[in-house]
Amino acid sequence: MSKEFRPWKIDEVQLLPPSVQDYVPQDHVSRLIVSLVKESLDLSAILGSYRSGLGQPPFDPRMMTALLLHGYASGIYSSRRIARATVERADFMMIVAGDAPDFRTISEFRRRHLKALADLFVQVLKLAEKAGLVKLGHVALDGTKIKANASKHKAMSYDRMKKREAELAAEVDRWLKAAEAADAQEDKLYGDKRGDEMPDWVADKQKRLEKIREAKAALEAEAKAAAEVERKARAEAEERRVAEGGKKSGKTPTKTEPDGKAQRNFTDPESRILKTKDGYIQGYNAQAAVDGAHQIIVAQTLTSSSSDQAQLAPLLDGIRANLGTNPDEVSANAGYCSDANLRTIKRRRIEGYIATGRQKHGTKSATAEKPSRAGSLIARMSTKLKRAGYRSRYRLRKQIVEPVFGQIKQARGFRQFLLRGIEKVSAEWALICTAHNLVKLARAA
């Protein structure tokens, strides 16, 4: 006796056409996003930019916003992939209501309203707070390196720039001299042409030379600005030392030339070579402050520096600006440890748990600690963490913030920025964090 199967009704015509919403579960994240965009989010900054009545009516900005947010929440970031999803996936088809925009429209909408879309981070965060997902009891800080939309092989060091600039300049100069010597044979060689057209290979070298000179000048300007900042900081420290009765230190360094190994990328000049556990990448350092209650990102920043140290205060400022108050506790790894940062935490009356060195698994104390004098804030923090051992609140850091980066990079596959330039990349990171919070909000609803 043969096994009976359910009938496969692939060719059966339905009497009434179904609604695409019927194929999307009621608790799906796409439904929450549509609901928030229609009823809760203030999109006046986007809607207000459409004034002219001329031309073809544009797609509804609310629909386009919901489409982009759902794309980021689903791990789909490319405008082409989002456009394809609007004709292949029921959740995306539900958002566009069967009227799918093409990828150019999606890309242009994101480009045009990038800042306004990034500003939705605070609105979504406040909705999460109203839903009881943000407690600010314990907040963990951390950074993750993410690839830029540029190859590290398109970067060149300052020393290499100087050498290559001389080589290219000499090569172009040799060609110009050869062309000048051949003037007498112009008519014979070039016919009706003028005879002074620059060959493609020379034009390319000339363009390369101009790019190298621009990058070299930018590195020199950065080095000069950094030297001026350092000079002022040393002068202020010198004044304090003298006022306290101390002796004058040695001469202030006057070097303003960039370090020979300083690099600049020709594709995205604002990105930097950053060291990661898997090697070096051309990228940015994305920062997040994550609330311990439900792993909601309560503040985010982005920098091109590989160091996390300067990002502690901006993250704390962001928490206060976004939610109007400081967290009760803050934890962070050794990358954030400095006297200045520990003073900042103390001044703001936040209970801090900042590692003073790298911890080995299975040990109670940190190794390779930052050198500190007895009685200093770093020494006291080290004693505080050692005394508590495994019961230290510092242990919460790994289980709060590191899973968030795992969800962003692994679960939603965000491993490289699409945009270029720190301003656009910062807005893109804000969109990624907004999407993360939306997913958390949907799961708690």
Side-chain angles (χ1 to χ4, degrees), residues 50 54 63 204 226 257 291-292 311 321 434 439:
Y50 295 90
L54 302 175
M63 181 272 284
D204 287 344
E257 188 176 272
D291 185 80
Q311 299 306 306
T434 303
V439 172

Side-chain angles (χ1 to χ4, degrees), residues 260-316:
K261 294 181 180 178
Q263 293 191 338
R264 195 165 184 85
N265 191 278
F266 295 112
T267 307
D268 184 355
E270 293 180 280
S271 63
R272 292 291 181 269
I273 295 286
L274 305 176
K275 186 178 181 181
T276 70
K277 63 180 181 180
D278 299 319
Y280 290 90
I281 65 167
Q282 186 77 36
Y284 290 94
N285 186 356
Q287 299 278 314
V290 181
D291 185 80
H294 293 87
Q295 293 182 339
I296 295 289
I297 299 174
V298 291
Q300 44 78 27
T301 62
L302 184 131
T303 177
S304 58
S305 170
S306 61
S307 173
D308 295 330
Q309 201 171 95
Q311 299 306 306
L312 184 137
L315 285 171
L316 294 181

